[in-house]
Amino acid sequence: MSHPSQAAFGAAPATTPPDLAEWDPQWSRIVTIPTFDGERSFHVLDTLPALRERGLEPTGTIVALHGNPTWSYLWRRLAQATVDAAGEPGTRTWRVIAPDQLEMGYSERVEHSNLPTPLGDDPTQRRIAQRVTDFDAVISELTAEVSATSGADHPLVTLGHDWGGVLSLTWAARNQDRVAAVMTLNTAVWHDDNENIPAALRAALTGPVLPYSTVRTDAFLRATLALSNSMPAEVANAYRSPYQTAAQRHGIGQFVADIPATSDHPSHDELQQLARDIATIETPALILWGPKDPVFQERYLRDLRKRLPQADIHRFERTSHLFAEDVDYASTILQWLAASLPVDGAQVAAAGGTADSARTVAGETGPDAATGANDDLPMIFDALDARHTDPSVASVDMSKDQAISWAQLSHVVDAIALSLQEKGLKRGDRVSLLVPPGNNLTAAAYAVLKAGGVVVVADAGLGAAGMTRAIKASDPQWIIGEVPGLTLARGAGWPGRRISVTPLNALTRRLLGVETSMTEMSRRWVKSHEKIDTPQLDDDAAVLFTSGSTGPAKGVRYTHRALGALATVLQRHFDVKPGTGLVAGFPPFALLGPGIGASSVTPNMSVTKPRTLTARALAEAVAAGSCTMVFASPAAYTNVAATADELTDEQRAACAGVEMALSAGAPVPLELMRKIKSVFPNASVHSPYGMTEGLLLADITAEGVAEAMEAASDHGVCVGRPIEGVRFAIAPILPDGSSSEELIELSSSGGSDVVSSDAVGVLGEFVVSADHIKSGYDRLWLTDVESKRDTAGGHTWHRTNDIGHVDAQGRIWVEGRTQHIVTTPYGPVAPGGVEAVVDTVPGVSRSAVVGVGPHGNQALVVVLERTDEMKPGLAGLDITAQIRETVLEKCDLDVAAVLVAKDFLTDIRHNSKINREQLREWAEDQLG
């Protein structure tokens, strides 16, 4: 290949950008700085002039560095956010300095005689080390303009993305006396020589592809800009504006050529050294991540977590490399800085609340540990240990017709726990369990918990894509599974060492990467003097994923303290004693039987299809464990009631022995509760209210629901009163549909006897506090901080996103979720209350209430579940008229339209939670 002449890549001075979307010309500066190869001119985004024009001096500085092939335009929204917030009382005034790297953006172009190559010795081609010195020169020059920058009263913080992430972190590591905190978006600071670099980069580095994709054409630039979910054309044009010619794109090629993909690359040793340097950073750190990035994959985030164990992490799910264009990352950064570097110097409790390093390791108490908390709480495996010689039945798996005694289960758990530790499982290691509910899952879970591992549960109800997203987010070190789960793990590239449930043949074991099996580990002889190195109360115990019914499933962290508190609450509230038998047809409770000392039976059903549970299968499970308690989802009970006529006399007798029937996971209509009562005639039928973040918060019986519906004019789903030890508060819904920052507690004493009159009838978001609520969201710093931002009464609160009201008797009525509020011209409307009224209309099976139209002026639309008598589209005139009249009479609201959905979308886990967002989109399409 012939090389172009020098004129093809001529020198050019730095310039300022033209008129661009979202760009303030006042931010642009040209600075000339001495560098290692002479004076160079840089275009720099600098908000100092804008601040001084307003008479403000900065009290903190953010130095931000872009990557390849972007430029300082990447940071424009952060610049605008800091300028907009400048001068607010009690906050810092942040200056943003963001240089365009040399030969990038609008900075100077250097003369070159050759196209960039990975192993070339062109002295004009900049490498990692030179770019760090460039950054140092620019920052040193500009920070000198403001006195005391880097001092205690004026913190200096670094921020980077892509190449700018590794370069800014390197500079911070080598200037720790000047840096107060570090932040980065997607980047990589180290690459294992034994692994291939990501396919997208391999392609760009291949032979002639490099110069032609990066310099001769703008293919690399366009491919990168496509890694945004929602980039407008004018923004894409702004990114492309400094790269119109091959000469202007030479820097793009240089960056790609400087990727040290092999050990003989000129920058290889520098990358190894800077990775070691970055691991010495001790300041607060924030990592913001787009998980769908095809280049900066999960392995690079995993490495960053190890090097910066103190880092707070927030994953913007469903985003990719350029998520800065898709989400409001700037407000997240400012919120984190306010928490980590407050004006008064006192670190806000929210900061660091989700960092991996905040976990308690080897007995050290991290910030999640409760101050003055109850240290007498049980470990979740204590009840199992207490019955290690008990020959009675502990667990029955009806799908395998297999029963195991307490003594057997205790031995199996201990043997597997010791084997895991011998194989290298360390305290805090995460273990994904791809095992259906039953004896195997119980043994695996309790073995992992006892060995100090963290159980990761993302049930099959999430689907393959949802499970993949969840498992990669939790990043387990181990996977225990049956063949279908291990096959999915292999095909989807999930991380973790593999252990099968049962022994596999040599070929299957090799194909799935399996090391051993639970069966093999359970055969280990446990000597009487052997002690398992068990965890402590404030160590992490589990990451449980939500159902994903209102967005990507979130990982919810529980410590052993929280699980111990949950076990205590369950035992106390439901009066669980040794000998109590529990049929666990509801996945979250399938694991809790041994923890609360109950013999548990898993019925023969599909976990992902609750409606597959039949009355006969449930009755057989009751009989197998002589159970007095039954727990199943509303969808499961619906089919149980529908198939109850198939019960034999013997099965009916077994059901008559049940003393308590519980249903949760979605609203439980009174009619269904009465049907449950007909199957279990001697049982008290309960509908406990809770969520993944707090599994038991309130409770009500069928009689309580009937009383509430007869005595009150309230609408929604009545879930009863708070159980002992749980505080409820209301955050009133404001006219724009958002939740107030002010809380109204239902009772000042935390009980349910005396209800505050200020709380009665107020539509609001429910906010709860209890010892057994979540310890935090996993690697979702922003979500976690926002959920526990309330401090009323000095308690730790959780914002549930559930909305509703409380009546004068202290009963809680749930009316939907915050994201489903309909903002009408006459005020916010909760969908659940209206749906409860619509569902009383003859001919209606289920309904969803959605808002169609612009925010604040939405029309109320009712979407019906299709029945045999209905056709998709506009509902019939008669039923439409009945619904309009009923809603107007009961709720004083006008219904604009009634539609019949072709598919009434619900979540997979419960088959009950209505996907109102998708139904809203469908309704908008139908109504034009």
Side-chain angles (χ1 to χ4, degrees):
M1 181 181 69
S2 61
H3 294 300
S5 64
Q6 289 186 353
F9 302 114
T15 61
T16 57
D19 185 23
L20 299 173
E22 302 180 26
W23 183 266
D24 186 342
Q26 191 176 24
W27 298 335
S28 286
R29 297 180 62 181
I30 303 297
V31 295
T32 301
I33 306 292
T35 69
F36 77 95
D37 60 351
E39 287 194 340
R40 300 295 183 186
S41 58
F42 294 81
H43 168 254
V44 182
L45 181 162
D46 187 358
T47 59
L48 182 62
L51 294 174
R52 285 182 169 169
E53 185 179 77
R54 296 173 54 184
L56 298 170
E57 281 294 308
T59 56
T61 296
I62 301 169
V63 291
L65 196 59
H66 67 88
N68 184 37
T70 58
W71 53 287
S72 58
Y73 186 75
L74 175 74
W75 308 116
R76 69 197 183 281
R77 291 174 182 167
L78 175 64
Q80 189 63 61
T82 57
V83 171
D84 290 344
E88 291 182 1
T91 65
R92 291 191 184 279
T93 295
W94 290 98
R95 175 192 187 186
V96 176
I97 300 173
D100 288 354
Q101 300 200 53
L102 202 68
E103 303 202 78
M104 299 293 288
Y106 286 90
S107 284
E108 178 181 342
R109 264 49 175 183
V110 177
E111 186 176 279
H112 301 282
S113 59
N114 298 306
L115 286 163
T117 60
L119 302 179
D121 57 359
D122 182 354
T124 65
Q125 183 172 321
R126 264 170 162 68
R127 301 290 184 184
I128 294 174
Q130 286 95 33
R131 293 194 180 277
V132 174
T133 61
D134 284 349
F135 187 56
D136 178 75
V138 174
I139 297 309
S140 298
E141 177 81 12
L142 294 182
T143 55
E145 297 175 340
V146 176
S147 61
T149 298
S150 300
D153 297 327
H154 187 126
L156 178 70
V157 180
T158 64
L159 170 64
H161 173 246
D162 189 269
W163 272 101
V166 61
L167 297 174
S168 64
L169 287 170
T170 301
W171 183 83
R174 296 170 183 175
N175 292 272
Q176 294 191 48
D177 57 326
R178 300 171 62 183
V179 176
V182 297
M183 305 181 292
T184 188
L185 282 56
N186 290 39
T187 191
V189 303
W190 181 78
H191 177 74
D192 188 341
D193 291 339
N194 296 317
E195 293 186 359
N196 288 327
I197 62 172
L201 290 182
R202 286 204 305 276
L205 282 166
T206 303
V209 174
L210 193 159
Y212 279 94
S213 66
T214 60
V215 180
R216 284 304 191 191
T217 72
D218 65 353
F220 185 85
L221 172 61
R222 289 180 179 274
T224 302
L225 297 182
L227 299 178
S228 160
N229 295 335
S230 56
M231 184 180 291
E234 62 271 20
V235 170
N237 289 336
Y239 273 115
R240 288 195 291 265
S241 64
Y243 303 119
Q244 298 298 308
T245 68
Q248 291 174 328
R249 293 191 292 269
H250 197 278
I252 295 177
Q254 287 184 55
F255 264 117
V256 175
D258 202 30
I259 297 171
T262 58
S263 59
D264 59 345
H265 190 281
S267 290
H268 178 270
D269 291 347
E270 175 64 14
L271 184 69
Q272 300 294 314
Q273 182 57 52
L274 68 84
R276 291 189 290 269
D277 293 342
I278 289 170
T280 69
I281 294 174
E282 296 180 349
T283 66
L286 174 67
I287 300 173
L288 302 180
W289 204 259
K292 295 179 69 175
D293 193 328
V295 175
F296 297 112
Q297 300 166 350
E298 291 294 334
R299 52 176 155 157
Y300 297 118
L301 176 58
R302 185 182 310 130
D303 177 71
L304 277 171
R305 290 201 322 267
K306 292 177 181 177
R307 295 179 194 280
L308 299 172
Q310 77 276 24
D312 290 308
I313 300 168
H314 186 84
R315 300 166 59 91
F316 292 102
E317 294 294 345
R318 295 179 178 166
T319 69
S320 185
H321 186 68
L322 283 180
F323 69 82
E325 296 299 326
D326 304 324
V327 300
D328 184 12
Y329 80 98
S331 66
T332 303
I333 282 177
L334 292 181
Q335 189 171 345
W336 184 81
L337 288 171
S340 301
L341 303 171
V343 174
D344 61 7
Q347 189 171 3
V348 179
T354 62
D356 284 350
S357 64
R359 307 296 155 264
T360 53
V361 179
E364 297 175 3
T365 301
D368 277 342
T371 303
N374 179 13
D375 288 330
D376 293 330
L377 288 168
M379 299 297 281
I380 194 66
F381 45 79
D382 282 352
L384 177 59
D385 284 350
R387 302 178 70 173
H388 70 281
T389 60
D390 189 341
S392 63
V393 172
S395 180
V396 181
D397 186 344
M398 297 300 293
S399 65
K400 294 180 171 58
D401 194 21
Q402 178 191 70
I404 185 171
S405 70
W406 287 96
Q408 290 171 319
L409 181 59
S410 178
H411 170 79
V412 167
V413 164
D414 284 359
I416 296 174
L418 283 167
S419 296
L420 285 170
Q421 290 182 340
E422 289 168 353
K423 288 187 173 298
L425 182 140
K426 301 183 295 295
R427 188 180 299 185
D429 274 6
R430 295 184 170 194
V431 185
S432 175
L433 301 181
L434 307 178
V435 186
N439 294 343
N440 290 330
L441 177 61
T442 299
Y446 280 83
V448 170
L449 290 167
K450 196 166 186 180
V454 180
V455 168
V456 177
V457 179
D459 67 59
L462 294 176
M467 287 186 68
T468 295
R469 186 166 52 243
I471 298 302
K472 287 188 174 181
S474 59
D475 194 28
Q477 286 77 40
W478 305 76
I479 293 178
I480 298 177
E482 294 189 342
V483 170
L486 293 172
T487 303
L488 177 59
R490 182 66 176 229
W494 296 355
R497 296 168 61 181
R498 314 297 164 84
I499 297 172
S500 62
V501 173
T502 56
L504 306 176
N505 62 56
L507 177 60
T508 304
R509 179 181 287 211
R510 185 167 61 255
L511 289 174
L512 297 180
V514 169
E515 298 180 23
T516 186
S517 69
M518 282 177 54
T519 300
E520 292 167 273
M521 292 192 294
S522 70
R523 291 170 180 162
R524 182 195 187 283
W525 180 254
V526 180
K527 300 175 183 177
S528 60
H529 65 274
E530 286 187 289
K531 298 295 182 184
I532 300 170
D533 182 15
T534 56
Q536 298 187 4
L537 277 172
D538 293 311
D539 289 336
D540 275 356
V543 176
L544 311 178
F545 278 85
T546 61
S547 67
S549 58
T550 54
K554 297 184 289 291
V556 179
R557 286 192 307 103
Y558 276 89
T559 61
H560 281 276
R561 181 182 297 280
L563 285 187
L566 175 62
T568 300
V569 165
L570 290 170
Q571 288 172 319
R572 180 179 65 228
H573 186 73
F574 294 125
D575 194 26
V576 177
K577 302 181 179 69
T580 298
L582 166 67
V583 176
F586 186 58
F589 281 82
L591 284 174
L592 290 170
I596 60 176
S599 300
S600 56
V601 182
T602 306
N604 190 0
M605 62 180 290
S606 169
V607 179
T608 60
K609 299 176 181 178
R611 292 177 187 266
T612 59
L613 180 63
T614 65
R616 297 192 68 170
L618 187 57
E620 288 169 1
V622 169
S626 301
C627 296
T628 56
M629 293 177 64
V630 176
F631 206 137
S633 71
Y637 274 129
T638 298
N639 196 54
V640 167
T643 56
D645 290 344
E646 300 172 7
L647 291 172
T648 66
D649 290 342
E650 186 178 359
Q651 289 170 336
R652 291 182 188 280
C655 291
V658 172
E659 299 171 1
M660 186 177 296
L662 305 103
S663 187
V668 187
L670 178 59
E671 180 183 359
L672 178 58
M673 297 180 86
R674 287 171 172 161
K675 290 179 178 179
I676 296 171
K677 179 74 171 179
S678 70
V679 177
F680 305 108
N682 298 317
S684 174
V685 181
H686 287 247
S687 176
Y689 166 70
M691 58 208 68
T692 308
E693 296 89 341
L695 291 175
L696 180 59
L697 302 171
D699 190 22
I700 193 169
T701 62
E703 294 77 12
V705 173
E707 179 186 344
M709 293 181 69
E710 291 172 3
S713 58
D714 301 79
H715 305 302
V717 177
C718 185
V719 297
R721 297 178 175 86
I723 67 166
E724 181 183 345
V726 177
R727 289 178 173 268
F728 265 79
I730 286 281
I733 300 300
L734 302 176
D736 66 356
S738 64
S739 301
S740 170
E741 293 302 308
E742 301 296 323
L743 297 188
I744 306 173
E745 285 202 61
L746 270 60
S747 170
S748 59
S749 64
S752 57
D753 296 335
V754 180
V755 182
S756 169
S757 59
D758 292 338
V760 174
V762 176
L763 176 63
E765 178 183 3
F766 294 121
V767 188
V768 298
S769 177
D771 289 341
H772 62 281
I773 61 172
K774 74 177 191 325
S775 304
Y777 285 115
D778 189 49
R779 294 167 187 163
L780 293 169
W781 180 86
L782 179 63
T783 307
D784 191 48
V785 167
E786 289 184 343
S787 75
K788 58 173 71 164
R789 64 185 182 268
D790 301 291
T791 58
H795 303 292
T796 298
W797 295 88
H798 167 67
R799 291 214 169 204
T800 65
N801 280 332
D802 282 348
I803 56 173
H805 68 279
V806 61
D807 65 23
Q809 284 69 46
R811 293 176 295 224
I812 297 159
W813 295 76
V814 176
E815 300 180 67
R817 303 279 287 172
T818 55
Q819 54 266 57
H820 298 148
I821 292 172
V822 181
T823 55
T824 70
Y826 34 88
V829 174
V834 183
E835 289 164 0
V837 170
V838 172
D839 289 350
T840 65
V841 175
V844 173
S845 171
R846 278 191 298 183
S847 66
V849 170
V850 299
V852 173
H855 187 84
N857 197 34
Q858 291 181 320
L860 211 63
V861 174
V862 173
V863 181
L864 303 179
E865 183 176 31
R866 185 174 53 158
T867 64
D868 293 339
E869 292 76 29
M870 298 178 181
K871 294 182 179 179
L874 287 172
L877 294 178
D878 289 344
I879 197 166
T880 296
Q882 290 182 61
I883 289 172
R884 282 176 168 160
E885 290 172 8
T886 304
V887 172
L888 183 62
E889 176 188 352
K890 300 289 186 181
C891 306
D892 195 25
L893 294 171
D894 291 320
V895 172
V898 180
L899 303 174
V900 178
K902 179 180 179 181
D903 297 304
F904 201 75
L905 303 166
T906 59
D907 68 301
I908 299 175
R909 179 184 289 179
H910 306 296
N911 286 172
S912 303
K913 293 183 178 179
I914 300 169
N915 192 324
R916 296 187 181 93
E917 184 56 32
Q918 289 189 25
L919 289 174
R920 181 193 64 77
E921 293 174 359
W922 175 83
E924 285 188 335
D925 290 341
Q926 292 293 304
L927 297 173

